[in-house]
Amino acid sequence: QVRLVESGGGLVQAGGSLRLSCVASGSIFNVISTGWYRQTPGKERELVANVISGITNYAESVKGRFTISSDNAKNTVSLQMNSLKPEDSAVYYCNVVVHRPTLYVYWGQGTQVTVSA
C-alpha cells in the first residue's frame, strides 16, 4: 500500500507561482511513474506532468511554465508552477504507479489550486 499526501495548493493571482509537493509513504518500490494530474468540475482528470523511467512528460498547456521534480531520498515529487493562468485552476492530484507485478495506481487526496484573474 502506498499513501500520498499533497500540499502547497492555494489562491494566487494570475502570473504568480505555487509549488505543490507530494510525500509518499508505505511500500514504495518498483515505481513505474510519478506525476501530477488535475481535474475541474464536470471534466475528466488530465495529465499535467509525469516522470516515467526518468523521462519527463508535460501537457502542452503547461510546457515552459511547470516543472516536475522528485527527491527519491525523501520520497517526494514536486510541481513548480510559474506564470499561472486562471485556466490552471483545478484540484491537483499526485499519482504513483507501481509494478507488483500487476500495475497498481495510487492517488493522493488532491489539493485545490485557484488562480484569480
Side-chain angles (χ1 to χ4, degrees):
Q1 190 76 1
V2 175
R3 182 169 182 252
L4 304 174
V5 179
E6 301 108 332
S7 62
L11 173 64
V12 65
Q13 288 187 333
S17 299
L18 283 174
R19 184 176 180 85
L20 305 182
S21 293
C22 173
V23 179
S25 60
S27 303
I28 307 167
F29 58 91
N30 291 348
V31 175
I32 301 299
S33 71
T34 58
W36 290 91
Y37 287 69
R38 66 188 181 187
Q39 188 171 24
T40 54
K43 293 188 177 181
E44 291 190 357
R45 196 168 295 187
E46 64 175 4
L47 172 70
V48 176
N50 65 4
V51 182
I52 303 175
S53 299
I55 298 174
T56 58
N57 304 282
Y58 293 95
E60 284 296 326
S61 61
V62 307
K63 281 184 179 178
R65 299 188 298 122
F66 291 11
T67 303
I68 188 171
S69 60
S70 60
D71 184 337
N72 293 333
K74 297 181 178 179
N75 293 329
T76 300
V77 58
S78 299
L79 184 69
Q80 178 65 42
M81 305 185 295
N82 298 327
S83 302
L84 283 161
K85 304 175 181 179
E87 52 263 43
D88 294 318
S89 297
V91 178
Y92 284 70
Y93 296 90
C94 180
N95 165 277
V96 169
V97 180
V98 299
H99 184 239
R100 300 281 169 87
T102 55
L103 294 181
Y104 287 83
V105 181
Y106 295 96
W107 296 95
Q109 81 285 357
T111 184
Q112 177 71 48
V113 171
T114 303
V115 184
S116 62

